Amino acid sequence: SILKFLDLQYLLQVVNRTCKRLNSIIEDNSVLWRFFDFDSELSVKPCDIERILQHSSCFRRFLLPHRHFEVPVPDHFIESSLEKCKYLYWLDLSDSLISSLRFLQKTPALEVLDLTGCKFLKDSEFTEIHNCANLDHIYLSFTNITPETFVEIASKQNLITLDGYGIKLNVSQCEKILKGNCRNLQYFSLSLASSVDFLSFEREIVSAFGDCQFNIFPK
């Protein structure tokens, strides 16, 4: 009960080294692994991955970008583990080598999804995002998603944050996103198609949707 008041980073980097008894309690109690979120670099070895993911059914927040891994994690291993995450509300798989999003069918509570830099995902895989009705923060920058699929997904979600750097959008596509089901959209990060005049975009879009903060990359 006392350990539940400490964050997992502290448990795994300090407390578990205190004695064998505390280490055993931390390893065997999934409830302590609900928030897998590290603010410092964590070097994960192959032998650690199974130990981490065996607690996946208890995950609420799972933030482990691929840069932490010393070796690639097999797709099927991540998929089979995340399919158990029915309480997961925040998932960060940025820069990972994952190539399928079918596990999203089993994560109905998901609110935040970060797939930044996941270049192995095919465009068709992104439509699985429709299975997450509670999503309000989506990060899809620097993926291989097409503008058409991006617009289709974004205009059918009630979003607060939409991040799409590297996805070249024209004025009508931006307008469709903003006029769709994204009436609560507060932060919109995007790239503009080469044919779009920046001043025209500011006049037609930015001024018309003043409640939304636009971040354009590159200007």
Side-chain angles (χ1 to χ4, degrees):
S1 295
I2 294 172
L3 295 181
K4 283 193 290 186
F5 289 94
L6 301 176
D7 64 68
L8 185 60
Q9 179 172 338
Y10 190 70
L11 293 179
L12 294 180
Q13 295 181 339
V14 179
V15 179
N16 69 340
R17 300 174 184 177
T18 307
C19 66
K20 290 182 178 180
R21 174 61 175 153
L22 284 176
N23 181 65
S24 177
I25 291 173
I26 294 168
E27 289 292 328
D28 297 338
N29 286 270
S30 291
V31 69
L32 300 176
W33 293 69
R34 288 176 299 176
F35 304 106
F36 196 95
D37 180 3
F38 287 73
D39 58 20
S40 61
E41 289 292 321
L42 177 68
S43 181
V44 181
K45 299 178 174 62
C47 59
D48 298 324
I49 297 170
E50 185 173 357
R51 180 170 63 95
I52 293 169
L53 293 178
Q54 71 180 357
H55 301 285
S56 60
S57 61
C58 201
F59 287 162
R60 300 293 193 278
R61 189 170 62 229
F62 185 65
L63 285 71
L64 190 59
H66 189 74
R67 61 180 173 272
H68 290 298
F69 292 118
E70 292 186 355
V71 295
V73 184
D75 251 12
H76 66 87
F77 199 42
I78 291 182
E79 274 191 69
S80 59
S81 299
L82 294 180
E83 284 181 350
K84 305 171 186 175
C85 300
K86 61 180 180 179
Y87 302 112
L88 186 69
Y89 73 85
W90 190 335
L91 176 63
D92 182 349
L93 292 175
S94 56
D95 301 314
S96 72
L97 304 181
I98 194 164
S99 62
S100 174
L101 296 177
R102 283 173 292 180
F103 64 85
L104 291 179
Q105 298 175 19
K106 306 290 182 65
T107 55
L110 203 60
E111 297 176 12
V112 182
L113 176 63
D114 191 342
L115 298 172
T116 302
C118 295
K119 296 185 179 297
F120 284 82
L121 284 169
K122 295 181 180 179
D123 186 65
S124 58
E125 285 293 327
F126 289 98
T127 57
E128 297 288 351
I129 291 174
H130 289 313
N131 293 307
C132 304
N134 295 313
L135 271 179
D136 49 24
H137 301 273
I138 300 179
Y139 301 84
L140 299 176
S141 291
F142 307 116
T143 60
N144 290 321
I145 187 173
T146 62
E148 292 75 22
T149 302
F150 181 77
V151 173
E152 178 192 347
I153 292 168
S155 60
K156 294 181 180 179
Q157 303 281 158
N158 195 24
L159 299 174
I160 296 173
T161 302
L162 178 60
D163 191 291
Y165 286 143
I167 304 165
K168 306 290 187 179
L169 301 175
N170 58 39
V171 172
S172 62
Q173 288 171 329
C174 292
E175 191 173 29
K176 184 175 180 180
I177 290 173
L178 290 159
K179 284 185 174 179
N181 294 326
C182 303
R183 302 190 187 281
N184 294 325
L185 194 62
Q186 297 177 19
Y187 305 98
F188 189 6
S189 301
L190 70 153
S191 295
L192 294 174
S194 57
S195 59
V196 177
D197 177 70
F198 183 74
L199 293 178
S200 298
F201 180 82
E202 282 195 318
R203 182 175 61 254
E204 296 177 39
I205 300 297
V206 176
S207 60
F209 297 93
D211 293 335
C212 180
Q213 178 181 320
F214 293 88
N215 299 300
I216 303 172
F217 173 84
K219 287 190 175 180

